[in-house]
Amino acid sequence: MNGHDNASKENGHSNGEHFVVDPLNYDDIVRVAQTIESLLTINEKPTVGIICGSGLGDLADRVTEAQIVPYSQIPGFPKTSVIGHKGNLVFGKLRGKSVICLQGRFHPYEHAMNLALCSMPVRIMHLLGVKTLIVSNAAGGINEKFQYGDLMLLKDHIFLPALAGFSPLVGANDPRFGQRFVSVHDAYDIKLRKMALKIAEEQQIRVHEGIYVMSGGPQYESPAEVQLFKTVGADALGMSTCHEVTVARQCGIQVLGFSLITNIANLDADNSVEVSHEEVLETAKEASQRACAFVSEIIANI
Ligand code: HPA
């Protein structure tokens, strides 16, 4: 048994049923997807998946004909433990599209760096019919032009844990999930980005494009680490998203990603301020309506 087997045992909801999911096992993932389908009364398959990071949690409130499936009702589904993240799948309609919202994501630091487990919801979304994934996150701004509450569309990423071997694609590969060697040269769909930028202009909101770096966390980065990321071209940093996007690309889902800049990352140890989760949540709350209106319009235009 390896560490990942342990993690899935610890994290899987049992719901009275004994079911340990191996996130690398295709049949296990199919079984979880089928369980979810059996709990639904909706007829239409969701085509748009949304991973609601901090600031986008309220988007699910805009879903009509909503059907909420708490993670705790899905045997084998991981648990979320981060304050500010609910634990629900929300199915329904948003601006005419059939959607599924992941209200609460799985961060690798919560799950012993088991990235395959943390990306499992994306594979499930794929099996349920999703063709477009919108991912959002809270992030620290590195680019000096960024201000609190700005949005940044991801045009590329630096997936730091994967460069150190922590990729969701490491381990046995079942070709039914997709290719072994996945190209991420166009991970963030250019047409979707252009459309989103146009909407930002119409809504007169501050939206940049930039490069997101994912660190492992959960500690926030030291000023020297932020300086390192700045040197290699990163504009914003966070602890999520890249694993989900990598898996989405493996199964052929097109992706639009954006960060909500909740704090300004420290670059100088002599001139730095404490970064706190409360601050991140506070900024996310303030920007929430703006971010939700932005995403809602994007969905209408997909
Ligand atoms: N670093 C990492 N993750 C984050 C930050 C940050 O500064 N802000 C919000 N999420």
Side-chain angles (χ1 to χ4, degrees):
M1 184 187 287
N2 59 32
H4 289 178
D5 292 333
N6 272 332
S8 40
K9 276 214 169 72
E10 281 162 19
N11 296 323
H13 284 285
S14 66
N15 197 25
E17 241 179 84
H18 183 72
F19 182 29
V20 176
V21 173
D22 173 359
L24 294 173
N25 185 301
Y26 187 83
D27 296 322
D28 278 9
I29 304 293
V30 168
R31 200 169 144 196
V32 179
Q34 284 172 346
T35 306
I36 295 167
E37 264 177 336
S38 73
L39 295 169
L40 297 174
T41 51
I42 53 167
N43 307 319
E44 233 178 290
K45 279 180 179 292
T47 54
V48 179
I50 307 145
I51 299 183
C52 302
S54 307
L56 212 61
D58 292 346
L59 188 73
D61 297 338
R62 298 180 179 223
V63 172
T64 56
E65 301 163 47
Q67 210 183 334
I68 299 173
V69 182
Y71 299 163
S72 56
Q73 282 184 13
I74 311 167
F77 214 74
K79 290 177 193 159
T80 174
S81 63
V82 180
I83 297 167
H85 286 255
K86 295 179 188 163
N88 294 319
L89 292 179
V90 181
F91 292 83
K93 290 276 193 173
L94 201 55
R95 303 293 300 275
K97 302 281 174 350
S98 200
V99 302
I100 164 174
C101 297
L102 194 73
Q103 222 182 9
R105 59 148 56 88
F106 306 108
H107 301 86
Y109 63 76
E110 296 171 88
H111 295 282
M113 294 309 278
N114 185 345
L115 282 95
L117 180 78
C118 294
S119 332
M120 190 171 94
V122 177
R123 288 191 163 142
I124 291 170
M125 283 183 182
H126 166 65
L127 291 171
L128 294 176
V130 165
K131 306 283 181 255
T132 305
L133 178 68
I134 299 179
V135 269
S136 76
N137 58 54
I142 303 177
N143 187 314
E144 274 137 15
K145 293 192 190 119
F146 292 2
Q147 299 173 5
Y148 285 80
D150 283 0
L151 300 179
M152 183 193 86
L153 288 169
L154 275 64
K155 77 169 188 187
D156 202 351
H157 68 219
I158 300 169
F159 187 0
L160 208 59
L163 299 180
F166 291 98
S167 161
L169 309 183
V170 160
N173 183 61
D174 188 316
R176 287 174 292 179
F177 284 134
Q179 290 183 31
R180 160 98 281 183
F181 302 104
V182 176
S183 180
V184 286
H185 69 283
D186 59 351
Y188 301 91
D189 190 84
I190 191 158
K191 283 205 196 89
L192 290 176
R193 280 193 275 133
K194 283 193 173 149
M195 183 255 278
L197 284 173
K198 195 161 155 267
I199 290 168
E201 215 177 296
E202 285 162 12
Q203 296 188 337
Q204 298 187 327
I205 52 172
R206 287 177 58 88
V207 179
H208 316 270
E209 271 197 305
I211 295 173
Y212 174 83
V213 57
M214 174 183 175
S215 67
Q219 71 290 338
Y220 289 110
E221 304 71 18
S222 72
E225 287 161 353
V226 177
Q227 189 64 56
L228 169 73
F229 297 149
K230 183 180 165 75
T231 306
V232 295
D235 297 294
L237 55 88
M239 304 172 191
S240 67
T241 304
C242 297
H243 54 298
E244 299 150 350
V245 171
T246 302
V247 164
R249 295 308 296 141
Q250 188 192 37
C251 52
I253 297 176
Q254 64 171 359
V255 177
L256 179 77
F258 74 90
S259 296
L260 169 59
I261 306 299
T262 51
N263 57 291
I264 302 301
N266 290 301
L267 279 159
D268 175 4
D270 289 338
N271 245 313
S272 58
V273 292
E274 187 185 348
V275 184
S276 73
H277 189 55
E278 289 70 30
E279 177 192 27
V280 168
L281 292 181
E282 189 59 33
T283 317
K285 202 169 143 209
E286 280 163 21
S288 168
Q289 288 313 310
R290 202 164 57 242
C292 289
F294 178 57
V295 173
S296 159
E297 194 60 30
I298 290 170
I299 291 170
N301 281 276
I302 287 174

